[in-house]
Amino acid sequence: MTDPVSTWHRLADSHVLLDGFHALKHAVRFEARVPVAVTADRPAALALADELAPDVRDTLDALLTEVPATTYAALVPRPHPTAVAALAVRPAREAQLARLARLPRTAPVVVLDNPRNLGNAGAVIRLAAGFGATGVVTTGTLDPWHPTVVRGGAGLHFATAVERLSVPELPAGPLFALDPEGEDLRGVVLPDDALLAFGSERSGLSGALRARADHLLSLPMRPQVSSYNLATSVAMTLYHWSSGATGAP
């Protein structure tokens, strides 16, 4: 039998860290290739699978190798309460870009313009996967496959296309950018092939993204409230798209 710790050390720099039971569960559900998975408590991990993920229980049973708690803790930046971790093969960039570019699209692409917060980016990817968005694209320096982003996304990177692109490289489609100066979202029908762009948490939309936008939209907000959390803004916009709603604000 191949030593899982040796395999881990050999693959760690080139593979995606799946931090915790839920990240591994989702990755397996969406057909990620997982060459190694470890846990400090195999019976507890399989009990979680029985309760929360019986559809992938047999796969997890075959994947998970129990290691001492100290060994598990040494493999991850921050031990997860479920004491489960795995490494997965990152999807090929060419395949991801093809998914993002394919037309006609049946669901929007979410664009995070120069995001700064790793946890927020992960929460957005989780939302996008839940709504069945075509993908999530980030611009700027943040790596959307950073371990903290994957942790925040609960492994749902494998349920949608996730890539980093420059503004000129964005996929085709009408770009609706969220901005306080824009038209009220409630009066607009968002098409399935839309790009839905959200500015950074601190500075909003970049000049390049704003220049690329076809439409500026705003979210309804009570006066004197400064802003919504990024993930909340994305959730509101995706819900509006999914409902096909329009109406007078």
Side-chain angles (χ1 to χ4, degrees), residues 165-208:
L165 299 171
S166 66
V167 172
E169 294 173 324
L170 292 176
L175 195 153
F176 294 78
L178 276 291
D179 185 90
E181 299 176 1
E183 179 182 357
D184 192 303
L185 173 72
R186 291 171 292 179
V188 177
V189 175
L190 297 173
D192 292 344
D193 63 349
L195 307 180
L196 305 176
F198 302 82
S200 74
E201 297 89 337
R202 289 187 180 181
S203 55
L205 297 169
S206 66

mmCIF file of all heavy atoms in Angstrom, residues 165-208:
data_model
loop_
_atom_site.group_PDB
_atom_site.id
_atom_site.type_symbol
_atom_site.label_atom_id
_atom_site.label_comp_id
_atom_site.label_asym_id
_atom_site.label_seq_id
_atom_site.Cartn_x
_atom_site.Cartn_y
_atom_site.Cartn_z
ATOM 1 N N LEU A 165 -8.792 35.872 -14.628
ATOM 2 C CA LEU A 165 -8.578 36.459 -15.949
ATOM 3 C C LEU A 165 -8.399 37.962 -15.800
ATOM 4 O O LEU A 165 -8.814 38.558 -14.802
ATOM 5 C CB LEU A 165 -9.788 36.199 -16.865
ATOM 6 C CG LEU A 165 -10.144 34.743 -17.176
ATOM 7 C CD1 LEU A 165 -11.488 34.686 -17.900
ATOM 8 C CD2 LEU A 165 -9.060 34.092 -18.019
ATOM 9 N N SER A 166 -7.821 38.574 -16.814
ATOM 10 C CA SER A 166 -7.807 40.035 -16.875
ATOM 11 C C SER A 166 -9.126 40.505 -17.473
ATOM 12 O O SER A 166 -9.870 39.723 -18.086
ATOM 13 C CB SER A 166 -6.635 40.520 -17.731
ATOM 14 O OG SER A 166 -6.822 40.127 -19.080
ATOM 15 N N VAL A 167 -9.438 41.786 -17.315
ATOM 16 C CA VAL A 167 -10.695 42.306 -17.861
ATOM 17 C C VAL A 167 -10.795 42.069 -19.365
ATOM 18 O O VAL A 167 -11.848 41.622 -19.859
ATOM 19 C CB VAL A 167 -10.866 43.800 -17.506
ATOM 20 C CG1 VAL A 167 -12.067 44.408 -18.233
ATOM 21 C CG2 VAL A 167 -11.039 43.961 -15.993
ATOM 22 N N PRO A 168 -9.748 42.323 -20.170
ATOM 23 C CA PRO A 168 -9.883 42.056 -21.608
ATOM 24 C C PRO A 168 -10.115 40.587 -21.942
ATOM 25 O O PRO A 168 -10.608 40.271 -23.032
ATOM 26 C CB PRO A 168 -8.544 42.534 -22.187
ATOM 27 C CG PRO A 168 -8.027 43.528 -21.198
ATOM 28 C CD PRO A 168 -8.471 43.005 -19.863
ATOM 29 N N GLU A 169 -9.782 39.678 -21.037
ATOM 30 C CA GLU A 169 -9.955 38.241 -21.293
ATOM 31 C C GLU A 169 -11.327 37.707 -20.877
ATOM 32 O O GLU A 169 -11.597 36.520 -21.072
ATOM 33 C CB GLU A 169 -8.883 37.456 -20.531
ATOM 34 C CG GLU A 169 -7.469 37.686 -21.010
ATOM 35 C CD GLU A 169 -6.435 37.024 -20.110
ATOM 36 O OE1 GLU A 169 -6.645 37.004 -18.877
ATOM 37 O OE2 GLU A 169 -5.418 36.537 -20.629
ATOM 38 N N LEU A 170 -12.184 38.550 -20.339
ATOM 39 C CA LEU A 170 -13.483 38.062 -19.875
ATOM 40 C C LEU A 170 -14.263 37.429 -21.018
ATOM 41 O O LEU A 170 -14.154 37.846 -22.167
ATOM 42 C CB LEU A 170 -14.291 39.216 -19.281
ATOM 43 C CG LEU A 170 -13.783 39.812 -17.970
ATOM 44 C CD1 LEU A 170 -14.631 41.003 -17.567
ATOM 45 C CD2 LEU A 170 -13.754 38.761 -16.870
ATOM 46 N N PRO A 171 -15.090 36.422 -20.710
ATOM 47 C CA PRO A 171 -15.888 35.792 -21.761
ATOM 48 C C PRO A 171 -16.872 36.776 -22.386
ATOM 49 O O PRO A 171 -17.194 37.821 -21.808
ATOM 50 C CB PRO A 171 -16.627 34.673 -21.033
ATOM 51 C CG PRO A 171 -16.140 34.647 -19.652
ATOM 52 C CD PRO A 171 -15.291 35.831 -19.402
ATOM 53 N N ALA A 172 -17.351 36.416 -23.557
ATOM 54 C CA ALA A 172 -18.342 37.245 -24.238
ATOM 55 C C ALA A 172 -19.650 37.241 -23.467
ATOM 56 O O ALA A 172 -19.953 36.316 -22.715
ATOM 57 C CB ALA A 172 -18.557 36.722 -25.658
ATOM 58 N N GLY A 173 -20.440 38.290 -23.709
ATOM 59 C CA GLY A 173 -21.752 38.385 -23.083
ATOM 60 C C GLY A 173 -21.973 39.760 -22.513
ATOM 61 O O GLY A 173 -21.017 40.476 -22.201
ATOM 62 N N PRO A 174 -23.233 40.160 -22.359
ATOM 63 C CA PRO A 174 -23.530 41.472 -21.795
ATOM 64 C C PRO A 174 -23.080 41.544 -20.338
ATOM 65 O O PRO A 174 -23.380 40.647 -19.542
ATOM 66 C CB PRO A 174 -25.053 41.572 -21.922
ATOM 67 C CG PRO A 174 -25.525 40.162 -21.973
ATOM 68 C CD PRO A 174 -24.453 39.388 -22.672
ATOM 69 N N LEU A 175 -22.361 42.600 -20.014
ATOM 70 C CA LEU A 175 -21.785 42.715 -18.681
ATOM 71 C C LEU A 175 -22.612 43.696 -17.852
ATOM 72 O O LEU A 175 -22.715 44.881 -18.179
ATOM 73 C CB LEU A 175 -20.329 43.164 -18.750
ATOM 74 C CG LEU A 175 -19.520 42.981 -17.456
ATOM 75 C CD1 LEU A 175 -18.039 42.811 -17.769
ATOM 76 C CD2 LEU A 175 -19.703 44.135 -16.485
ATOM 77 N N PHE A 176 -23.193 43.177 -16.773
ATOM 78 C CA PHE A 176 -23.963 43.978 -15.825
ATOM 79 C C PHE A 176 -23.110 44.151 -14.576
ATOM 80 O O PHE A 176 -22.804 43.165 -13.888
ATOM 81 C CB PHE A 176 -25.273 43.279 -15.464
ATOM 82 C CG PHE A 176 -26.236 43.140 -16.608
ATOM 83 C CD1 PHE A 176 -26.060 42.152 -17.573
ATOM 84 C CD2 PHE A 176 -27.341 43.984 -16.716
ATOM 85 C CE1 PHE A 176 -26.957 42.004 -18.622
ATOM 86 C CE2 PHE A 176 -28.240 43.847 -17.766
ATOM 87 C CZ PHE A 176 -28.044 42.869 -18.721
ATOM 88 N N ALA A 177 -22.705 45.388 -14.289
ATOM 89 C CA ALA A 177 -21.826 45.656 -13.157
ATOM 90 C C ALA A 177 -22.610 46.341 -12.047
ATOM 91 O O ALA A 177 -23.379 47.267 -12.295
ATOM 92 C CB ALA A 177 -20.651 46.534 -13.597
ATOM 93 N N LEU A 178 -22.409 45.871 -10.833
ATOM 94 C CA LEU A 178 -23.107 46.433 -9.682
ATOM 95 C C LEU A 178 -22.360 47.671 -9.198
ATOM 96 O O LEU A 178 -21.148 47.627 -8.920
ATOM 97 C CB LEU A 178 -23.207 45.388 -8.571
ATOM 98 C CG LEU A 178 -24.371 44.398 -8.667
ATOM 99 C CD1 LEU A 178 -25.703 45.110 -8.421
ATOM 100 C CD2 LEU A 178 -24.406 43.660 -10.005
ATOM 101 N N ASP A 179 -23.121 48.776 -9.087
ATOM 102 C CA ASP A 179 -22.537 50.060 -8.723
ATOM 103 C C ASP A 179 -23.635 50.920 -8.099
ATOM 104 O O ASP A 179 -24.779 50.899 -8.576
ATOM 105 C CB ASP A 179 -21.967 50.737 -9.975
ATOM 106 C CG ASP A 179 -21.235 52.026 -9.651
ATOM 107 O OD1 ASP A 179 -20.015 51.959 -9.395
ATOM 108 O OD2 ASP A 179 -21.885 53.094 -9.647
ATOM 109 N N PRO A 180 -23.326 51.684 -7.053
ATOM 110 C CA PRO A 180 -24.358 52.508 -6.419
ATOM 111 C C PRO A 180 -25.025 53.502 -7.372
ATOM 112 O O PRO A 180 -26.155 53.930 -7.135
ATOM 113 C CB PRO A 180 -23.591 53.243 -5.313
ATOM 114 C CG PRO A 180 -22.405 52.378 -5.021
ATOM 115 C CD PRO A 180 -22.039 51.757 -6.329
ATOM 116 N N GLU A 181 -24.345 53.872 -8.450
ATOM 117 C CA GLU A 181 -24.909 54.833 -9.401
ATOM 118 C C GLU A 181 -25.766 54.176 -10.479
ATOM 119 O O GLU A 181 -26.319 54.853 -11.342
ATOM 120 C CB GLU A 181 -23.780 55.621 -10.065
ATOM 121 C CG GLU A 181 -22.932 56.427 -9.084
ATOM 122 C CD GLU A 181 -21.773 57.125 -9.758
ATOM 123 O OE1 GLU A 181 -21.646 56.998 -10.994
ATOM 124 O OE2 GLU A 181 -20.994 57.771 -9.046
ATOM 125 N N GLY A 182 -25.893 52.854 -10.439
ATOM 126 C CA GLY A 182 -26.588 52.147 -11.498
ATOM 127 C C GLY A 182 -28.100 52.156 -11.367
ATOM 128 O O GLY A 182 -28.671 52.617 -10.373
ATOM 129 N N GLU A 183 -28.742 51.586 -12.371
ATOM 130 C CA GLU A 183 -30.197 51.431 -12.388
ATOM 131 C C GLU A 183 -30.610 50.385 -11.356
ATOM 132 O O GLU A 183 -29.899 49.392 -11.134
ATOM 133 C CB GLU A 183 -30.620 50.980 -13.789
ATOM 134 C CG GLU A 183 -32.091 50.744 -13.983
ATOM 135 C CD GLU A 183 -32.426 50.250 -15.386
ATOM 136 O OE1 GLU A 183 -31.499 50.146 -16.219
ATOM 137 O OE2 GLU A 183 -33.615 49.953 -15.626
ATOM 138 N N ASP A 184 -31.752 50.592 -10.748
ATOM 139 C CA ASP A 184 -32.232 49.654 -9.735
ATOM 140 C C ASP A 184 -32.383 48.255 -10.336
ATOM 141 O O ASP A 184 -33.065 48.068 -11.349
ATOM 142 C CB ASP A 184 -33.573 50.143 -9.189
ATOM 143 C CG ASP A 184 -33.994 49.399 -7.927
ATOM 144 O OD1 ASP A 184 -34.091 48.157 -7.965
ATOM 145 O OD2 ASP A 184 -34.235 50.071 -6.910
ATOM 146 N N LEU A 185 -31.758 47.290 -9.707
ATOM 147 C CA LEU A 185 -31.776 45.902 -10.173
ATOM 148 C C LEU A 185 -33.191 45.379 -10.372
ATOM 149 O O LEU A 185 -33.457 44.598 -11.291
ATOM 150 C CB LEU A 185 -31.035 45.029 -9.153
ATOM 151 C CG LEU A 185 -31.065 43.509 -9.349
ATOM 152 C CD1 LEU A 185 -30.197 43.121 -10.529
ATOM 153 C CD2 LEU A 185 -30.599 42.804 -8.084
ATOM 154 N N ARG A 186 -34.118 45.822 -9.545
ATOM 155 C CA ARG A 186 -35.476 45.265 -9.569
ATOM 156 C C ARG A 186 -36.225 45.579 -10.855
ATOM 157 O O ARG A 186 -37.219 44.924 -11.171
ATOM 158 C CB ARG A 186 -36.252 45.785 -8.357
ATOM 159 C CG ARG A 186 -35.737 45.221 -7.033
ATOM 160 C CD ARG A 186 -36.378 45.918 -5.854
ATOM 161 N NE ARG A 186 -35.945 47.308 -5.740
ATOM 162 C CZ ARG A 186 -36.375 48.155 -4.791
ATOM 163 N NH1 ARG A 186 -37.255 47.728 -3.893
ATOM 164 N NH2 ARG A 186 -35.932 49.397 -4.755
ATOM 165 N N GLY A 187 -35.749 46.551 -11.627
ATOM 166 C CA GLY A 187 -36.408 46.888 -12.873
ATOM 167 C C GLY A 187 -35.783 46.251 -14.093
ATOM 168 O O GLY A 187 -36.132 46.600 -15.220
ATOM 169 N N VAL A 188 -34.863 45.305 -13.887
ATOM 170 C CA VAL A 188 -34.083 44.742 -14.995
ATOM 171 C C VAL A 188 -34.208 43.225 -14.999
ATOM 172 O O VAL A 188 -34.124 42.584 -13.950
ATOM 173 C CB VAL A 188 -32.591 45.143 -14.871
ATOM 174 C CG1 VAL A 188 -31.760 44.502 -15.972
ATOM 175 C CG2 VAL A 188 -32.447 46.659 -14.880
ATOM 176 N N VAL A 189 -34.415 42.655 -16.171
ATOM 177 C CA VAL A 189 -34.335 41.199 -16.331
ATOM 178 C C VAL A 189 -32.912 40.845 -16.734
ATOM 179 O O VAL A 189 -32.380 41.376 -17.714
ATOM 180 C CB VAL A 189 -35.331 40.700 -17.402
ATOM 181 C CG1 VAL A 189 -35.142 39.206 -17.651
ATOM 182 C CG2 VAL A 189 -36.757 40.984 -16.967
ATOM 183 N N LEU A 190 -32.292 39.970 -15.995
ATOM 184 C CA LEU A 190 -30.917 39.570 -16.279
ATOM 185 C C LEU A 190 -30.918 38.351 -17.198
ATOM 186 O O LEU A 190 -31.487 37.310 -16.849
ATOM 187 C CB LEU A 190 -30.181 39.239 -14.981
ATOM 188 C CG LEU A 190 -30.029 40.401 -14.001
ATOM 189 C CD1 LEU A 190 -29.443 39.914 -12.682
ATOM 190 C CD2 LEU A 190 -29.160 41.499 -14.603
ATOM 191 N N PRO A 191 -30.281 38.445 -18.357
ATOM 192 C CA PRO A 191 -30.285 37.303 -19.284
ATOM 193 C C PRO A 191 -29.374 36.178 -18.808
ATOM 194 O O PRO A 191 -28.449 36.389 -18.019
ATOM 195 C CB PRO A 191 -29.768 37.919 -20.584
ATOM 196 C CG PRO A 191 -28.940 39.083 -20.154
ATOM 197 C CD PRO A 191 -29.583 39.622 -18.913
ATOM 198 N N ASP A 192 -29.616 35.001 -19.318
ATOM 199 C CA ASP A 192 -28.831 33.838 -18.913
ATOM 200 C C ASP A 192 -27.364 33.954 -19.310
ATOM 201 O O ASP A 192 -26.500 33.349 -18.670
ATOM 202 C CB ASP A 192 -29.415 32.565 -19.528
ATOM 203 C CG ASP A 192 -30.780 32.212 -18.959
ATOM 204 O OD1 ASP A 192 -31.146 32.752 -17.889
ATOM 205 O OD2 ASP A 192 -31.486 31.407 -19.591
ATOM 206 N N ASP A 193 -27.072 34.697 -20.376
ATOM 207 C CA ASP A 193 -25.682 34.790 -20.832
ATOM 208 C C ASP A 193 -24.954 35.986 -20.227
ATOM 209 O O ASP A 193 -23.875 36.370 -20.679
ATOM 210 C CB ASP A 193 -25.614 34.858 -22.360
ATOM 211 C CG ASP A 193 -26.293 36.098 -22.935
ATOM 212 O OD1 ASP A 193 -26.996 36.802 -22.175
ATOM 213 O OD2 ASP A 193 -26.115 36.362 -24.132
ATOM 214 N N ALA A 194 -25.514 36.578 -19.165
ATOM 215 C CA ALA A 194 -24.923 37.778 -18.562
ATOM 216 C C ALA A 194 -23.615 37.462 -17.849
ATOM 217 O O ALA A 194 -23.393 36.350 -17.347
ATOM 218 C CB ALA A 194 -25.901 38.398 -17.574
ATOM 219 N N LEU A 195 -22.752 38.465 -17.800
ATOM 220 C CA LEU A 195 -21.652 38.515 -16.846
ATOM 221 C C LEU A 195 -22.109 39.459 -15.738
ATOM 222 O O LEU A 195 -22.514 40.595 -16.003
ATOM 223 C CB LEU A 195 -20.377 39.054 -17.486
ATOM 224 C CG LEU A 195 -19.877 38.396 -18.778
ATOM 225 C CD1 LEU A 195 -18.596 39.069 -19.245
ATOM 226 C CD2 LEU A 195 -19.664 36.914 -18.590
ATOM 227 N N LEU A 196 -22.046 39.004 -14.496
ATOM 228 C CA LEU A 196 -22.477 39.803 -13.348
ATOM 229 C C LEU A 196 -21.234 40.188 -12.558
ATOM 230 O O LEU A 196 -20.589 39.324 -11.955
ATOM 231 C CB LEU A 196 -23.436 39.002 -12.474
ATOM 232 C CG LEU A 196 -24.673 38.429 -13.189
ATOM 233 C CD1 LEU A 196 -25.493 37.586 -12.223
ATOM 234 C CD2 LEU A 196 -25.516 39.545 -13.790
ATOM 235 N N ALA A 197 -20.885 41.455 -12.593
ATOM 236 C CA ALA A 197 -19.602 41.901 -12.043
ATOM 237 C C ALA A 197 -19.791 42.675 -10.748
ATOM 238 O O ALA A 197 -20.684 43.523 -10.636
ATOM 239 C CB ALA A 197 -18.864 42.759 -13.065
ATOM 240 N N PHE A 198 -18.904 42.407 -9.809
ATOM 241 C CA PHE A 198 -18.946 43.019 -8.484
ATOM 242 C C PHE A 198 -17.563 43.565 -8.156
ATOM 243 O O PHE A 198 -16.557 42.862 -8.319
ATOM 244 C CB PHE A 198 -19.369 41.986 -7.434
ATOM 245 C CG PHE A 198 -20.709 41.365 -7.722
ATOM 246 C CD1 PHE A 198 -20.820 40.308 -8.627
ATOM 247 C CD2 PHE A 198 -21.855 41.852 -7.130
ATOM 248 C CE1 PHE A 198 -22.047 39.743 -8.912
ATOM 249 C CE2 PHE A 198 -23.097 41.284 -7.410
ATOM 250 C CZ PHE A 198 -23.195 40.233 -8.303
ATOM 251 N N GLY A 199 -17.515 44.802 -7.670
ATOM 252 C CA GLY A 199 -16.239 45.432 -7.363
ATOM 253 C C GLY A 199 -15.639 44.917 -6.071
ATOM 254 O O GLY A 199 -16.253 44.162 -5.312
ATOM 255 N N SER A 200 -14.421 45.368 -5.815
ATOM 256 C CA SER A 200 -13.723 44.942 -4.607
ATOM 257 C C SER A 200 -14.408 45.511 -3.374
ATOM 258 O O SER A 200 -15.139 46.506 -3.432
ATOM 259 C CB SER A 200 -12.259 45.392 -4.643
ATOM 260 O OG SER A 200 -12.159 46.782 -4.411
ATOM 261 N N GLU A 201 -14.149 44.876 -2.244
ATOM 262 C CA GLU A 201 -14.807 45.245 -1.004
ATOM 263 C C GLU A 201 -14.502 46.685 -0.598
ATOM 264 O O GLU A 201 -15.327 47.343 0.028
ATOM 265 C CB GLU A 201 -14.393 44.280 0.116
ATOM 266 C CG GLU A 201 -14.805 42.823 -0.123
ATOM 267 C CD GLU A 201 -13.764 42.023 -0.900
ATOM 268 O OE1 GLU A 201 -12.960 42.647 -1.623
ATOM 269 O OE2 GLU A 201 -13.751 40.786 -0.796
ATOM 270 N N ARG A 202 -13.334 47.173 -0.953
ATOM 271 C CA ARG A 202 -12.943 48.522 -0.521
ATOM 272 C C ARG A 202 -13.185 49.595 -1.568
ATOM 273 O O ARG A 202 -13.723 50.657 -1.273
ATOM 274 C CB ARG A 202 -11.453 48.538 -0.152
ATOM 275 C CG ARG A 202 -11.127 47.804 1.129
ATOM 276 C CD ARG A 202 -9.672 48.016 1.496
ATOM 277 N NE ARG A 202 -9.329 47.321 2.741
ATOM 278 C CZ ARG A 202 -8.130 47.353 3.296
ATOM 279 N NH1 ARG A 202 -7.153 48.048 2.721
ATOM 280 N NH2 ARG A 202 -7.891 46.702 4.415
ATOM 281 N N SER A 203 -12.788 49.316 -2.800
ATOM 282 C CA SER A 203 -12.741 50.393 -3.794
ATOM 283 C C SER A 203 -13.769 50.275 -4.902
ATOM 284 O O SER A 203 -13.825 51.122 -5.792
ATOM 285 C CB SER A 203 -11.337 50.470 -4.406
ATOM 286 O OG SER A 203 -10.959 49.218 -4.941
ATOM 287 N N GLY A 204 -14.593 49.242 -4.888
ATOM 288 C CA GLY A 204 -15.608 49.115 -5.919
ATOM 289 C C GLY A 204 -15.027 48.678 -7.249
ATOM 290 O O GLY A 204 -13.969 48.044 -7.328
ATOM 291 N N LEU A 205 -15.714 49.048 -8.331
ATOM 292 C CA LEU A 205 -15.303 48.624 -9.671
ATOM 293 C C LEU A 205 -14.044 49.347 -10.116
ATOM 294 O O LEU A 205 -13.873 50.545 -9.886
ATOM 295 C CB LEU A 205 -16.423 48.923 -10.675
ATOM 296 C CG LEU A 205 -17.752 48.202 -10.469
ATOM 297 C CD1 LEU A 205 -18.810 48.818 -11.378
ATOM 298 C CD2 LEU A 205 -17.611 46.715 -10.727
ATOM 299 N N SER A 206 -13.173 48.612 -10.791
ATOM 300 C CA SER A 206 -12.000 49.240 -11.401
ATOM 301 C C SER A 206 -12.422 50.034 -12.629
ATOM 302 O O SER A 206 -13.493 49.797 -13.216
ATOM 303 C CB SER A 206 -10.978 48.178 -11.801
ATOM 304 O OG SER A 206 -11.501 47.355 -12.841
ATOM 305 N N GLY A 207 -11.559 50.955 -13.046
ATOM 306 C CA GLY A 207 -11.852 51.718 -14.251
ATOM 307 C C GLY A 207 -11.981 50.837 -15.474
ATOM 308 O O GLY A 207 -12.851 51.063 -16.328
ATOM 309 N N ALA A 208 -11.146 49.808 -15.565
ATOM 310 C CA ALA A 208 -11.183 48.917 -16.731
ATOM 311 C C ALA A 208 -12.488 48.143 -16.790
ATOM 312 O O ALA A 208 -13.090 47.988 -17.855
ATOM 313 C CB ALA A 208 -9.994 47.958 -16.683
#
